Amino acid sequence: MPDNAVEDAARPTFALVIPTHQRPEFVVQAVESALRQSRPFDQVIVVADGVDDAAIAALDGMPIELHAIEHAGVAAARNAGVRHARADWVCFLDDDDLLHPDYLSRLVAEVVAAPHIGAMNARYWSFAAHAGPDDEFSASNLDECLEAIRMAVAKKDLKYLEIEGRSFDLLLERLRGSMSTAAVRRELLLRAGGFPHGMVTAEDWAMYVNVARLTEWRLLGERLAFFRDHARTATRSGSALQGLTALRVIRSFWMPSTLPTPPHRALSAYRQHYRHVLGWALQACWRAHDLRAYLDALAIARDILPRRTDRLRAAIPMWLRRHARRFRRQSLRLRRCSSRQR
């Protein structure tokens, strides 16, 4: 066999999966960023979450694999993409985000240098058509993003992504990953169960945790993606069902699993993080005037926050917590002033 044939056989292959739902104007840009990679993907797979999705027509004629499923949510769309993938690695990109042209070449270099790696993430930039206080620059497409980062100053603290060596333990606290830079060996992803079907939120968190049962998550140092902030960003919304789903996902982390369970802290060590999720879920139920969901959230929380005081603290409305913090700060200042006068 010729030397170049041996090299090709040993070279890892990479598929990109882009799930999309009713965002044709964004998914076209996402696909274009995938096709502009300095090292091309072996497969670019778009899964439309809905057989009549407008993306099907918008992407017609592009050199990609386009599949449509009955509307079932982002988890089902990603799982369908994984099933169609024929590569060693599966990468993911949300339909409203963009990849830097060097994303895959940098990923390949890391895999070749460290063949034991099983899962990877990269840092990212945040942008919007009209940048707000949490965005790093204004842009509307990939070319504008590439121009902007020549002078942009990084605002976001992305240290939360640095979890290698304690991936499972730290992921039990919160999602410490970015789906639009995630890459996992396909066989590990399948062993981990992919994305839990039917979830309306936190399906990515569940995937990250289950993959961490099998391998560590490595972080690439460069910012290799662009996360778009806009009015329809999923993280802006919060329904009672999403709150309940997030709590159920956390509870599932602590149930017996057929997968390995790496070292981690005791349940009580995660109280602060789980109180935050419970508080968010209860507020969503309160806004929806859904008493049944509110009570269901408190019932689920008994398994992840066994101390009654933690559940009570989470139930305090956010506005009251802000007033309480302000009152404590004012009281502390008054005590300091009083002690100086003495």
Side-chain angles (χ1 to χ4, degrees):
M1 182 180 294
D3 290 343
N4 60 347
V6 174
E7 289 178 6
D8 287 344
R11 183 176 69 94
T13 53
F14 295 81
L16 178 68
V17 172
I18 307 175
T20 187
H21 179 64
Q22 300 299 344
R23 294 199 282 216
E25 72 283 9
F26 287 156
V27 73
V28 168
Q29 289 193 27
V31 169
E32 288 173 347
S33 78
L35 297 176
R36 287 177 60 177
Q37 293 296 296
S38 56
R39 189 285 198 189
F41 283 101
D42 298 282
Q43 283 179 279
V44 175
I45 304 166
V46 177
V47 181
D49 183 22
V51 294
D52 58 350
D53 196 288
I56 297 172
L59 296 171
D60 185 45
M62 299 189 78
I64 61 171
E65 296 181 25
L66 179 59
H67 304 275
I69 62 172
E70 294 290 341
H71 179 48
V74 67
R78 287 186 182 130
N79 286 335
V82 173
R83 287 194 298 272
H84 288 288
R86 300 180 301 276
D88 302 312
W89 283 77
V90 181
C91 309
F92 295 94
L93 178 65
D94 286 347
D95 63 355
D96 52 351
D97 296 332
L98 307 169
L99 290 177
H100 188 284
D102 292 333
Y103 165 77
L104 187 56
S105 64
R106 182 65 187 85
L107 192 72
V108 171
E110 194 75 12
V111 171
V112 171
H116 64 280
I117 295 172
M120 277 192 282
N121 262 145
R123 291 178 170 84
Y124 57 87
W125 294 95
S126 176
F127 76 100
H130 304 285
D134 295 329
D135 302 311
E136 289 162 314
F137 52 83
S138 297
S140 298
N141 55 50
L142 181 58
D143 286 328
E144 291 179 9
C145 287
L146 294 174
E147 181 64 27
I149 62 174
R150 295 173 60 186
M151 301 293 291
V153 176
K155 291 182 182 179
K156 291 187 177 293
D157 183 358
L158 301 180
K159 290 181 180 178
Y160 78 97
L161 297 171
E162 299 172 3
I163 61 175
E164 188 173 7
R166 292 180 58 198
S167 295
F168 182 72
D169 174 49
L170 292 174
L171 280 165
L172 289 177
E173 290 182 347
R174 55 177 286 201
L175 175 58
R176 293 173 175 270
S178 53
M179 274 309 304
S180 286
T181 66
V184 187
R185 288 190 184 275
R186 186 173 183 273
E187 59 94 6
L188 288 178
L189 187 59
L190 293 174
R191 280 180 60 196
F195 298 86
H197 184 73
M199 288 187 174
V200 295
T201 192
E203 76 292 328
D204 47 356
W205 191 6
M207 183 277 289
Y208 269 88
V209 168
N210 287 331
V211 167
R213 293 177 180 273
L214 303 170
T215 189
E216 291 288 338
W217 282 89
R218 172 163 293 189
L219 179 67
L220 297 175
E222 301 92 331
R223 296 181 182 237
L224 295 170
F226 303 96
F227 284 19
R228 190 192 306 264
D229 185 16
H230 59 94
R232 290 186 292 158
T233 302
T235 51
R236 285 178 178 263
S237 60
S239 67
L241 179 57
Q242 287 175 319
L244 288 174
T245 302
L247 292 171
R248 290 185 179 116
V249 166
I250 294 173
R251 183 172 63 181
S252 74
F253 298 159
W254 297 90
M255 291 180 175
S257 173
T258 57
L259 296 172
T261 301
H264 59 86
R265 289 162 287 165
L267 177 62
S268 58
Y270 305 89
R271 289 164 51 210
Q272 179 180 350
H273 299 275
Y274 295 171
R275 277 201 311 264
H276 176 78
V277 177
L278 176 59
W280 168 69
L282 292 175
Q283 286 184 65
C285 296
W286 186 265
R287 287 194 302 270
H289 306 290
D290 192 335
L291 178 59
R292 180 171 183 176
Y294 191 96
L295 296 176
D296 285 346
L298 287 174
I300 297 169
R302 292 192 187 101
D303 294 328
I304 60 174
L305 289 168
R307 294 187 186 181
R308 186 166 176 265
T309 53
D310 285 324
R311 300 195 298 276
L312 289 173
R313 286 180 63 181
I316 298 172
M318 185 62 72
W319 65 267
L320 187 55
R321 278 185 254 173
R322 284 196 293 265
H323 281 299
R325 285 195 293 268
R326 192 176 301 118
F327 177 77
R328 285 196 297 269
R329 287 196 295 268
Q330 291 172 347
S331 298
L332 181 59
R333 283 197 293 267
L334 287 173
R335 286 199 298 270
R336 287 173 178 169
C337 290
S338 177
S339 62
R340 290 195 193 104
Q341 291 172 0
R342 291 174 188 168

